[in-house]
Amino acid sequence: MYYLVEWNETQNDKQGTLDVTFDIKEGSSSDSNILQLPKTPAGYTITEQSINDSSCIIVYGDSNQNQIIYAQSNDIKNMSISIDNEDADFNETIINGCKGYTSTKDGINALYWADSNCFYELQGTCEMDVLHSMTKSIYR
C-alpha cells in the first residue's frame, strides 16, 4: 500500500505563515514507514540525533559553524504545520518527485516536502544546493 499526499494550504497573513494539513489517499503499491536517513554532506559531521520508530531529527555541523537540521515524521495524517513565509523567498517545488517548498530567509535555507505518509524538513545555514543534494540520497 502507498499513500498519495494532498496538501491543504491556507495562507495565514496575520502570522506570516502557510498553514498546512494533509489528506492521505491510499494507493495500490507497497510501501513502508521506514525512516529515511540522508547521507551526511561532505565536510559535515552528525552533532546530535534523536531517532525513534516514527520520527527522527539529525543535526549536522561543519568547521565553518554551518548547521543543517533534518527532520522526518512518519505520522503525516495526524499533523499540521505552519511554514514561515513572511518576507521570505518562498516557492513551490518538486523534491524527489513530490510536492514541496523552498524557503530562504535571514540566511537560512529550507526545504519542506511530503512523500507517501512522511513529512520531511531540511534547513540550514549552508547553501541551498547542499540541502538539495541531501534530498537525492533519500528514497522511498
Side-chain angles (χ1 to χ4, degrees):
M1 184 75 53
Y2 74 94
Y3 301 91
L4 304 174
V5 177
E6 182 177 309
W7 294 57
N8 302 308
E9 305 160 332
T10 304
Q11 178 59 42
N12 185 334
D13 291 330
K14 184 176 180 180
Q15 298 296 319
T17 59
L18 180 69
D19 297 339
V20 183
T21 60
F22 301 94
D23 285 334
I24 309 301
K25 298 178 181 179
E26 292 183 4
S28 60
S29 181
S30 63
D31 193 28
S32 66
N33 287 339
I34 298 171
L35 291 169
Q36 305 297 311
L37 306 180
K39 290 183 183 175
T40 302
Y44 284 81
T45 59
I46 295 174
T47 59
E48 296 176 47
Q49 67 181 15
S50 172
I51 300 173
N52 61 44
D53 290 340
S54 63
S55 66
C56 75
I57 297 174
I58 302 173
V59 180
Y60 305 86
D62 73 2
S63 61
N64 296 321
Q65 304 303 313
N66 287 313
Q67 189 176 63
I68 299 170
I69 300 170
Y70 170 73
Q72 178 188 341
S73 173
N74 283 357
D75 193 20
I76 194 171
K77 66 183 175 187
N78 293 313
M79 70 185 299
S80 63
I81 60 169
S82 293
I83 303 172
D84 180 3
N85 65 355
E86 185 174 53
D87 300 324
D89 181 8
F90 187 75
N91 297 290
E92 187 172 324
T93 191
I94 300 296
I95 300 171
N96 292 341
C98 302
K99 179 178 179 170
Y101 286 93
T102 62
S103 177
T104 300
K105 181 178 179 177
D106 299 331
I108 298 174
N109 291 308
L111 301 174
Y112 309 91
W113 76 102
D115 78 351
S116 185
N117 61 338
C118 296
F119 179 78
Y120 304 86
E121 178 179 351
L122 262 173
Q123 62 175 301
T125 54
C126 60
E127 297 296 322
M128 186 68 82
D129 63 341
V130 173
L131 300 179
H132 278 291
S133 68
M134 290 177 75
T135 69
K136 293 176 184 167
S137 69
I138 302 168
Y139 297 99
R140 302 276 309 152

